[in-house]
Amino acid sequence: MQLDNRKLVLGVTGSIAAYKACELLRLFVKGGADVYVAETEAACRLVAPATFEALSGHKVSTEIFNEASDIGHIELSAHADLIVIAPASAQTIAKLAAGMADNMLTATVLAAPCRTVIAPAMNSRMYLNPATQANLETLRKRGFIIISPEEGELACGTQGVGRMRPVEDIYNIVCALLNPREGIAFAGFGQYLPSPEAPLSLAQTRLLPKAQGAGLKVVITAGPTEEPIDPVRVITNKSSGKMGYALAEAARAAGADVTLISGPTHLPCPQGVKRINVRSAADMLNAVKDQVTDAQVVIGCAAVSDYRLAYVYDKKITKDETGDSLTLTLIKNEDIISYVGHLEKRPFTVGFAAETDHAEEHAKEKLTRKNLDLIVLNDVSRQDIGFNSDDNAVSVFDRDGKVADLDKAPKSVIASRLVDLIFEAVRKGA
Ligand code: C5P
């Protein structure tokens, strides 16, 4: 089994998602791990220690001076291969960032020689609050592995980012982290590598493979563009930006210096990524021209408008002026990724192709015409993947033909695999 002979500490904090920790614990135990649970006081009010005791076979630790625990905080951390805090509340994240040790869980983390994985779960305003984001960035730099929450319905009845990643994903990530050499699909989890600035002890280095993107500047275009018609109207498209943002997060987590040039989206900027906000294709091209000079990799993931208005009205167009019909003349925008591909001193250049028919043929033709190193083909005729979806499935081509087929998976997983492929090709000097 994937977690045979592994000792884990499962930290549970006072987020409503605490009940999901029971299922995660069950998966860990089924996978062969010996798991000790440390609950905060707030977590104990949500899920009684007796539940975790029954599932783990060990007493649950809460207070540092609790005689009932069968193991102390130093011992607990010393024996663990990994600490997993799921769910991690904003409060516990803040305490860890400050280096506090006021309960069994925080004291165990502070004393730990092993890595800590954190799966935040909270209301989206709490998650997006700059204080929480800064705390997470501090922890990431110290080598904590952050499993970013998802968007969706939250316990407080609102919609937004902050829902804990499914326990199956957390389980798979933990298995991959603990088995990097046994070939248990590490690919796809590159984004969970800690930051390259994180101090690593020898034991910790052994746990994780080297960050492949260290020393590379990666520029990624993402999202839609907006072409103004008049001061209030635009021509745009349905791109959500999710794929480009996932690529930025994955490249950053693999150690690269990432600049995300983004059209209008509602997505939060991934931790540690520099974002430049643009609206029109012309603005995006200018930002790329600025950023490309010292970049080693450029990935064109944006759904750039192929055309813009020949004439932009400076006042709102009214029906009285135009009558029953209005003709707009569009002129072609410059192709941004093709501009990059044809530069004399060109970076490793990656494009995307969203196709509905003759997909492979069109993708290969674009690779040649735009002078790209790699092209990522999306079949947009499928309803279950691509535009606006959380999942994707792609094929990757280089000048010699097909490099990989990446089956349907969350965009974050596809992004990690693409980043692995791109960095491997860059390192080989393709
Ligand atoms: O030709 P098509 O629009 O299908 O090509 C898609 C690829 O080209 C994507 O990588 C997209 O980001 C890029 N592109 C661009 N500038 C444009 C149009 C497309 O960079 N004006």
Side-chain angles (χ1 to χ4, degrees), residues 113-159:
C114 66
R115 288 222 180 265
T116 301
V117 175
I118 287 189
M122 64 198 74
N123 161 277
S124 49
R125 284 198 300 278
M126 292 174 84
Y127 176 68
L128 294 174
N129 189 300
T132 305
Q133 289 298 315
N135 289 334
L136 285 168
E137 181 60 11
T138 300
L139 293 178
R140 208 175 64 78
K141 284 201 178 123
R142 281 187 208 146
F144 285 60
I145 296 150
I146 318 286
I147 302 181
S148 304
E150 296 184 321
E151 271 196 51
E153 218 171 278
L154 302 172
C156 50
T158 59
Q159 191 81 14

Side-chain angles (χ1 to χ4, degrees), residues 221 281 300-306 333-338 350-355 366 369-370 375:
T221 68
C301 194
V304 185
S305 173
D306 289 329
N333 277 325
E334 183 168 354
D335 192 303
I336 300 170
I337 205 69
S338 181
V350 183
F352 274 70
E355 307 292 337
K366 277 176 194 170
R369 176 162 46 89
K370 301 187 186 199
I375 193 148

Side-chain angles (χ1 to χ4, degrees), residues 29 83 87 133 148 179 188 191 196 200 231 275 286 290 295 348 424:
V29 171
I83 300 173
Q133 289 298 315
S148 304
N179 299 284
Q191 75 203 89
L200 291 177
R275 177 166 64 177
N286 285 334
D290 267 0
F348 188 89
E424 204 182 306

